[in-house]
Amino acid sequence: YKGMKDGDEQILMINGQDSNINMGYKSPAFTLSKNSYYLITFRALTENTDGFIAVGSANLSGNDILVKSVLSVYTDGNWAEYTFLVETDKINDVSANLELWLGSKNGTKSFGAVFFDDVNVYKLSQNAFSTMVKANQSNDNFALCNMNTSVFGEQFTNSDFEQNTLVGWEVIA
């Protein structure tokens, strides 16, 4: 197979042929800066074999929140674009990887082959990120990862802090 772009012959092929396997490749680490927005895209093609449907998957890895970002890849012999949109937290940079699979990381196996091409990572403005989230909400080839976690956990309200004790708090002076 040729890549999506003319002259591009560097693509990742994971081929199980007639074997029912799960196999993946992990990218080198890349940094997602704190308080930022990212678009991660790639193109994929699945090729069925002997009546068996080929399926692949892609996921982000690097921390506990990223690993929840998973895309199922099935294209029935046509190239398709897949998208992760990531909002990082306000405190820490994150080291991330993109994992590309025939089958899946969680053990799902597949016959056939999957091809991956044109992997890109773009930093976005908040406005561009919001626009892309809205535009992709009904897109099956899209996953959103919000790493923004609350520093305080659940919100609390106490209009008279000096006279009332919050649940779990102890007056020490």
Side-chain angles (χ1 to χ4, degrees):
Y1 280 95
K2 285 196 155 234
M4 288 296 298
K5 297 178 183 167
D6 289 339
D8 176 11
E9 295 184 14
Q10 293 184 343
I11 60 175
L12 172 63
M13 177 183 77
I14 308 172
N15 190 355
Q17 297 177 331
D18 297 330
S19 299
N20 195 19
I21 66 168
N22 67 316
M23 182 177 182
Y25 287 84
K26 180 166 68 171
S27 74
F30 52 94
T31 300
L32 301 175
S33 300
K34 65 184 175 188
N35 202 27
S36 297
Y37 304 90
Y38 289 91
L39 168 67
I40 301 168
T41 63
F42 63 91
R43 295 185 189 276
L45 178 145
T46 57
E47 183 178 83
N48 302 337
T49 184
D50 295 328
F52 293 102
I53 295 173
V55 293
S57 62
N59 61 279
L60 299 175
S61 61
N63 78 13
D64 292 341
I65 296 173
L66 282 176
V67 298
K68 296 175 185 174
S69 297
V70 179
L71 286 169
S72 294
V73 174
Y74 170 70
T75 71
D76 197 23
N78 298 302
W79 285 100
E81 184 167 282
Y82 290 81
T83 302
F84 289 102
L85 284 169
V86 180
E87 179 179 356
T88 61
D89 74 24
K90 306 262 186 258
I91 299 170
N92 297 306
D93 291 349
V94 174
S95 179
N97 304 87
L98 176 63
E99 297 183 17
L100 303 171
W101 290 82
L102 174 63
S104 72
K105 183 178 188 168
N106 69 7
T108 301
K109 294 182 178 184
S110 179
F111 290 93
V114 63
F115 299 81
F116 296 98
D117 197 11
D118 297 326
V119 175
N120 293 289
V121 179
Y122 303 99
K123 192 170 186 178
L124 301 174
S125 69
Q126 184 177 11
N127 287 342
F129 177 84
S130 296
T131 299
M132 292 194 82
V133 167
K134 288 176 188 169
N136 282 286
Q137 286 179 340
S138 61
N139 182 352
D140 290 337
N141 298 350
F142 163 76
L144 176 63
C145 178
N146 184 345
M147 300 178 65
N148 226 343
T149 56
S150 174
V151 175
F152 296 108
E154 293 183 25
Q155 292 183 340
F156 58 87
T157 304
N158 188 337
S159 59
D160 196 351
F161 188 80
E162 287 78 20
Q163 295 186 15
N164 295 319
T165 303
L166 293 171
V167 174
W169 287 63
E170 177 183 342
V171 177
I172 57 174

